[in-house]
């Protein structure tokens, strides 16, 4: 290699000066100088000319500082990049909410348009009726008066003509030739003098309009309300003893406070809130939500046994702060909970939770869950009840098969509710927490499923009831969406009804006229609609009267086209005409034959016998058409746990949703 040669006139000092290549480690203060150090205090690169100004500052080699900075920058980059999936998920979720909001706006706009178009039609019909009534009334009165006018005009004409002839005769010379004509005139005048003419009015001119519009205008002024809140799950919180410690068999209470995005307390109700208590085996303990209409809510529930439970509180399908919560479940000492058999039924009658999704009003006290007893109760663990009941001539029906386990796949269920059976040999299950309907053959073979979770038309949020229309359409009560959806037999969405009227539809049925019967659990009202969505009638209110309900669940129609409704908290079954007149009421709270601990599913056989699922007693009872107890279906081989919907299949078997066991069961039924 050739040695580097210095020029003869170069000094040694000049030979030690290094010039930095442009743009690389160049000192920002001294152009052309190389920065070799880094001042940690000032966080800047230093060349040899900069060093005196930073003599007392800690310094490190620039290469080391650059490596450390690169390391920290890489770490920051990784941290920020790790946020991208979270942001992407949030973006997708918020876009979904925005889309649902847009869809909901379109749906409400459609409802407003259709409702007001219907009102316009009704007003136009009424206007036409009034105009027609006006024309008919006017015509009748005008006919009478016109006939009177015509009669008077004719009489006047006759008299005038006769008078003119007579005056002309009198003006002429009297002679024998005119005598006969004058005699005829005299006779004619005599007739006219005695002629009976209608000189007094035979009708009046009264035509008034009585139109009370003030009340109507006021009603129109207040017609309709757009309901919403500013509550968000990320800021809302829960508190109360029910989060800290629960006693087996005793009601526990949790208060939920909704807040807006800034953490401010919401002052209005109507937020969409759900609450679920999960048992160690994955089943759900149901409770009831009370909306205090001031931004706070109360969830009351009762746990049936000790174990590791969890409570999920969701606002608009999102967990609130701290959810899901782990619950501590304790059991009181025997002396603390011992009650006599005579008081057990009374205690339990005041302490039942609705086994459907929590409603927003009217909370009741609760006690045991299905199949769970307090100490002192002598009831046997079998679904047959007490040993004495075994002597009451049971129908010896056997379990044919059961389908389902807890899960989200085909043939798996999570909190199944309503059941329907079609004439074509299909069994339909409303799989509530999986937001779908599953369809099986009468033999239990899976056929299909449909349903997508959401709050837009055509989506399902909490399907609880299902029925099959004679046309083949499938009718689904959606508790959380507060409407009834109609799908064709293939599961394609067609329409919805009841939006804006329903508060919490639970069960649906179809009468012999093809009308849709909806049991509104939250409003404690039965609605009857045409398939087009037009409301025909409604009846019922909250209370314990004969024509009132306390958390009604399901309905069936008998051979007389009467509506049979299970009244959950009133522990009874009621039969009504389509006009809402009470025909029959039977049942009381208890465990004896013909008594109920919260009835749910109901069906009617070809003989008019009424089959009722007894939720709290975990059994199925059979009554005749007059409400007299006949017997019960033997379910002892595989006991029920909180049965819900119930139906009769086309081949004459009983199918029941065994909600607590996450399956449905089919039994032989001897009609």
């Amino acid at each position: 290699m050739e040695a580097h040669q210095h020029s003869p006139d170069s000094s040694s000092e000049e030979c030690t000066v290094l010039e930095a290549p442009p743009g690389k480690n160049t000192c920002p203060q001294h152009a052309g100088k190389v920065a070799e150090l880094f001042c940690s205090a000032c966080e800047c690169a230093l060349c040899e000319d900069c060093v005196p100004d930073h003599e007392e500052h800690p310094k490190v080699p620039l290469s080391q500082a650059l490596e450390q900075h690169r390391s920290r920058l890489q770490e920051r980059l990784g941290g920020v990049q790790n946020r991208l999936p979270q942001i992407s998920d949030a973006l997708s979720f918020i876009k979904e909410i925005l889309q649902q909001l847009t869809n909901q706006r379109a749906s409400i706009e459609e409802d407003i348009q259709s409702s007001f178009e219907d009102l316009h039609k009704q007003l136009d019909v009424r206007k036409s009726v009034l105009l027609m009534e006006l024309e008919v009334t006017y015509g009748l009165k005008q006919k009478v008066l016109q006939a009177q006018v015509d009669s008077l005009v004719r009489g006047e004409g006759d008299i005038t003509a006769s008078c003119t002839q007579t005056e002309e005769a009198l003006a002429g010379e009297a002679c024998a030739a005119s005598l006969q004509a004058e005699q005829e005139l005299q006779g004619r005048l005599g007739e006219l003098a005695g002629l009976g003419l209608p000189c007094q009015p035979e009708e009046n001119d009264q035509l008034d309009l009585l139109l009370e519009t003030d009340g109507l205008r006021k009603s129109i002024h207040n017609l309709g309300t757009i309901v919403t809140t500013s509550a968000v799950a990320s800021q809302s919180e829960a508190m109360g003893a029910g989060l800290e410690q629960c006693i087996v068999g005793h009601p526990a209470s949790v208060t939920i406070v909704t807040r807006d995005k800034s953490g401010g307390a919401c002052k209005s109700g109507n937020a969409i809130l759900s609450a679920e208590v999960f048992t160690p085996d994955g089943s759900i303990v149901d409770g009831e939500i009370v909306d205090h209409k001031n931004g706070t809510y109360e969830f009351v529930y009762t746990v049936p046994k000790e174990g590791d439970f969890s409570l999920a509180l969701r606002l608009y399908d999102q967990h609130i702060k701290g959810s899901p919560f782990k619950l501590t479940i304790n059991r009181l000492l025997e002396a603390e909970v011992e009650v006599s058999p005579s008081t057990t039924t009374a205690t339990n009658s005041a302490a039942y939770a609705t086994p459907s999704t929590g409603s927003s009003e009217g909370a009741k006290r609760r006690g045991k869950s299905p199949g769970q007893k307090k100490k002192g109760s002598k009831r046997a663990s079998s679904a047959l009840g007490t040993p004495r009941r075994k002597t009451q001539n049971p129908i010896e029906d056997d379990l044919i098969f059961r389908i389902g386990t807890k899960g989200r796949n085909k043939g798996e269920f999570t909190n199944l509710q309503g059941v329907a059976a079609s004439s074509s040999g299909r069994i339909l299950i409303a799989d509530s927490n999986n937001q779908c309907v599953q369809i099986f053959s009468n033999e239990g073979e899976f056929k299909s499923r449909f349903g997508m979770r959401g709050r837009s038309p055509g989506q399902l949020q909490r399907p609880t009831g299902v029925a099959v229309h004679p046309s083949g359409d499938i009718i689904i009560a959606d508790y959380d969406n507060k409407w009834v959806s109609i799908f064709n037999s293939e599961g394609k969405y067609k329409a919805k009804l009841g939006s804006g009227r329903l508060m919490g539809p639970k069960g649906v049925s179809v009468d012999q006229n093809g009308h849709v019967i909806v049991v509104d659990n939250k409003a404690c009202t039965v609605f009857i609609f045409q398939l087009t969505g037009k409301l025909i009638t409604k009846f019922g209110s909250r209370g314990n009267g004969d024509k009132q309900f306390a958390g009604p669940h399901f309905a069936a129609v008998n051979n007389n086209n009467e509506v049979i409704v299970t009244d959950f908290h009133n522990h009874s079954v009621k039969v009504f005409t389509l006009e809402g007149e009470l025909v029959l009421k039977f049942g009381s709270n208890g465990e004896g034959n013909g008594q109920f601990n919260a009835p749910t599913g109901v069906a009617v056989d070809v003989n008019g016998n009424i089959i009722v699922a007894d939720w709290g007693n975990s059994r199925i009872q059979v009554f005749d058409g007059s409400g007299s107890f006949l017997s019960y279906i033997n379910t002892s081989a595989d006991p029920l746990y909180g049965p819900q919907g119930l139906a009769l299949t086309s081949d004459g078997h009983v199918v029941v949703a065994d909600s607590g066991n996450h399956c449905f069961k089919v039994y032989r039924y001897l009609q």
Side-chain angles (χ1 to χ4, degrees):
M1 174 181 281
E2 185 179 341
H4 179 70
Q5 300 292 325
H6 295 283
S7 61
D9 58 348
S10 297
S11 67
S12 61
E13 181 178 349
E14 289 174 332
C15 293
T16 62
V17 176
L18 298 176
E19 291 190 6
K24 184 176 182 182
N25 295 343
T26 303
C27 177
Q29 302 296 328
H30 302 93
K33 296 297 183 72
V34 176
E36 295 181 332
L37 297 175
F38 181 81
C39 177
S40 301
C42 300
E43 293 189 341
C44 63
L46 306 176
C47 69
E48 60 182 9
D49 291 348
C50 300
V51 170
D53 295 333
H54 299 265
E55 186 174 358
E56 296 180 357
H57 295 175
K59 294 175 283 294
V60 296
L62 179 60
S63 59
Q64 179 182 342
L66 290 174
E67 184 178 346
Q68 291 175 347
H69 275 265
R70 282 295 179 92
S71 177
R72 287 196 293 268
L73 183 61
Q74 185 66 44
E75 184 179 344
R76 288 286 179 88
L77 176 63
V80 172
Q81 287 178 331
N82 288 339
R83 292 202 62 194
L84 288 176
Q86 176 189 1
I87 294 173
S88 178
D89 290 344
L91 182 61
S92 298
F93 185 56
I94 293 171
K95 281 185 176 180
E96 179 183 349
I97 294 175
L98 178 59
Q99 184 61 51
Q100 289 180 354
L101 177 66
T102 303
N103 293 342
Q104 192 67 4
R105 174 191 174 275
S107 174
I108 292 175
E109 184 177 12
E110 177 187 340
D111 289 340
I112 292 173
Q113 293 285 3
S114 62
S115 297
F116 278 83
E117 284 174 5
D118 186 54
L119 288 175
H120 276 297
K121 289 178 182 178
Q122 292 187 38
L123 286 172
D124 287 340
V125 168
R126 184 57 186 162
K127 181 176 74 173
S128 298
V129 169
L130 284 174
L131 290 173
M132 184 180 299
E133 184 179 340
L134 174 63
E135 286 303 308
V136 170
T137 305
Y138 167 78
L140 293 173
K141 297 170 78 71
Q142 184 267 348
K143 183 177 181 181
V144 171
L145 292 172
Q146 188 62 50
Q148 190 175 2
V149 167
D150 293 344
S151 177
L152 289 171
V153 168
R154 285 194 302 271
E156 183 184 33
D158 291 344
I159 291 173
T160 301
S162 297
C163 288
T164 300
Q165 291 178 3
T166 303
E167 288 174 349
E168 290 176 353
L170 291 173
E173 183 179 355
C175 62
S178 62
L179 180 60
Q180 184 176 356
E182 291 178 0
Q183 287 177 340
E184 289 177 358
L185 285 174
Q186 186 176 358
R188 177 63 175 160
L189 290 174
E191 290 176 2
L192 291 174
L195 181 63
L197 292 174
C199 294
Q200 297 300 319
E202 295 178 352
E203 251 297 355
N204 57 61
D205 62 352
Q206 183 183 12
L207 270 181
D208 295 325
L209 175 63
L210 183 60
L211 195 62
E212 296 290 344
T213 59
D214 289 344
L216 179 60
R217 291 177 190 276
K218 184 176 180 180
S219 296
I220 292 175
H221 180 74
N222 297 315
L223 181 62
T225 303
I226 304 300
V227 177
T228 188
T229 75
S230 56
V232 295
S234 60
Q235 297 291 337
S236 299
E237 53 193 352
M239 59 194 71
L243 291 179
E244 300 167 1
Q245 187 171 354
C246 309
I247 306 299
V248 173
H250 286 244
S253 175
V254 176
T255 298
I256 300 99
V257 179
T258 56
R259 299 185 183 278
D260 61 23
K261 64 179 181 180
S262 302
C266 296
K267 302 298 184 183
S268 61
N270 297 306
I272 300 175
L273 185 70
S274 65
E276 294 172 327
V277 177
F278 293 92
T279 65
D281 61 5
S283 60
I284 298 174
V285 175
D286 293 290
E288 191 165 7
I289 298 173
V290 180
D291 184 352
H292 294 303
K293 303 298 182 181
N294 61 359
T296 67
Y297 304 78
E298 184 180 9
F299 176 57
V300 184
Y301 66 95
T302 303
V303 292
K305 58 187 177 182
E306 293 177 290
D308 296 325
F309 286 69
S310 65
L311 168 62
L313 294 173
R314 293 183 178 90
L315 182 66
Y316 301 108
D317 296 327
Q318 302 169 59
H319 285 285
I320 69 170
K321 280 184 178 179
S323 177
F325 302 91
K326 291 184 178 180
L327 303 179
T328 302
I329 311 300
N330 295 322
R331 184 181 293 275
L332 290 179
L333 297 176
E334 182 173 335
E336 293 179 282
V337 297
E338 186 171 3
V339 292
S340 68
S342 62
T343 61
T344 301
T345 298
T347 301
N348 292 334
S349 69
Y352 259 90
T354 306
S356 63
T357 116
S359 69
S360 65
E361 57 185 281
K364 308 291 189 295
R365 291 190 57 199
R366 295 162 183 72
K368 64 185 182 180
S369 292
Q372 303 295 329
K373 282 75 61 185
K374 289 186 178 182
K375 290 184 179 294
S377 171
K378 295 184 179 180
R379 180 183 168 205
S381 61
S382 166
L384 297 177
T386 63
R388 180 184 61 197
R389 190 178 295 126
K390 293 181 180 179
T391 66
Q392 300 296 317
N393 186 29
I395 299 175
E396 293 297 341
D397 289 346
D398 298 320
L399 175 68
I400 301 175
F401 61 82
R402 61 176 282 171
I403 298 292
T405 56
K406 181 178 174 60
R408 296 191 175 276
N409 298 316
K410 297 176 182 178
E412 298 178 341
F413 307 99
T414 307
N415 194 26
L416 66 168
Q417 298 270 315
V419 176
S422 72
S423 58
S424 59
R426 294 289 185 263
I427 296 172
L428 295 87
I429 307 293
D431 191 0
S432 179
N433 285 21
N434 286 334
Q435 291 86 25
C436 69
V437 169
Q438 300 199 45
I439 303 177
F440 300 80
S441 69
N442 281 352
E443 294 72 37
E445 178 185 357
F446 176 83
K447 292 297 183 182
S448 64
R449 63 184 280 179
F450 65 89
M452 178 184 300
R453 178 179 181 176
R455 297 189 179 276
S456 300
Q459 297 179 318
L460 302 175
Q461 188 64 21
R462 191 65 66 101
T464 52
V466 60
V468 180
H469 194 270
S471 65
D473 288 341
I474 299 171
I475 302 167
I476 302 173
D478 195 329
Y479 191 96
D480 280 1
N481 278 334
K482 302 179 183 179
W483 63 53
V484 172
S485 294
I486 302 173
F487 296 79
N488 68 12
S489 58
E490 304 301 321
K492 183 178 180 181
Y493 175 73
K494 295 179 67 175
K496 64 183 174 74
L497 56 85
S499 179
R501 297 183 186 272
L502 302 174
M503 296 175 62
K506 169 75 175 183
V508 286
S509 186
V510 180
D511 69 11
Q512 296 172 11
N513 302 319
H515 296 152
V516 179
I517 299 167
V518 183
V519 181
D520 194 324
N521 172 269
K522 193 178 291 187
C524 294
T525 302
V526 174
F527 292 82
I528 302 179
F529 296 91
Q530 291 181 356
L531 198 60
T532 59
K534 181 179 180 181
L535 177 65
I536 299 174
T537 188
K538 65 177 182 176
F539 57 86
S541 60
R542 182 178 297 277
N544 55 14
D546 287 345
K547 295 184 180 181
Q548 294 181 307
F549 303 105
H553 269 50
F554 293 99
V557 178
N558 65 16
N559 298 331
N560 298 326
N561 210 22
E562 295 165 337
V563 183
I564 305 170
V565 183
T566 52
D567 194 354
F568 188 85
H569 288 296
N570 285 332
H571 310 288
S572 61
V573 174
K574 296 174 180 178
V575 183
F576 297 87
T577 66
L578 293 178
E579 293 73 33
E581 294 300 319
L582 182 71
V583 176
L584 173 68
K585 171 186 173 183
F586 62 91
S588 60
N589 182 229
E591 298 180 351
N593 295 334
Q595 293 185 306
F596 301 109
N597 253 334
T600 47
V602 61
V604 181
D605 68 18
V606 294
N607 299 316
N609 295 323
I610 302 170
I611 309 163
V612 183
D614 189 356
W615 180 79
N617 289 324
S618 289
R619 62 184 179 181
I620 301 172
Q621 300 193 71
V622 184
F623 302 81
D624 66 17
S626 64
S628 298
F629 173 79
L630 293 178
S631 198
Y632 52 88
I633 291 178
N634 190 342
T635 60
S636 59
D638 188 3
L640 299 169
Y641 182 41
Q644 284 274 354
L646 181 146
L648 273 170
T649 63
S650 58
D651 53 357
H653 300 318
V654 170
V655 55
V656 61
D658 191 355
S659 183
N661 289 320
H662 305 290
C663 67
F664 72 88
K665 296 174 179 176
V666 176
Y667 295 91
R668 293 185 182 89
Y669 175 66
L670 306 178
Q671 299 188 34

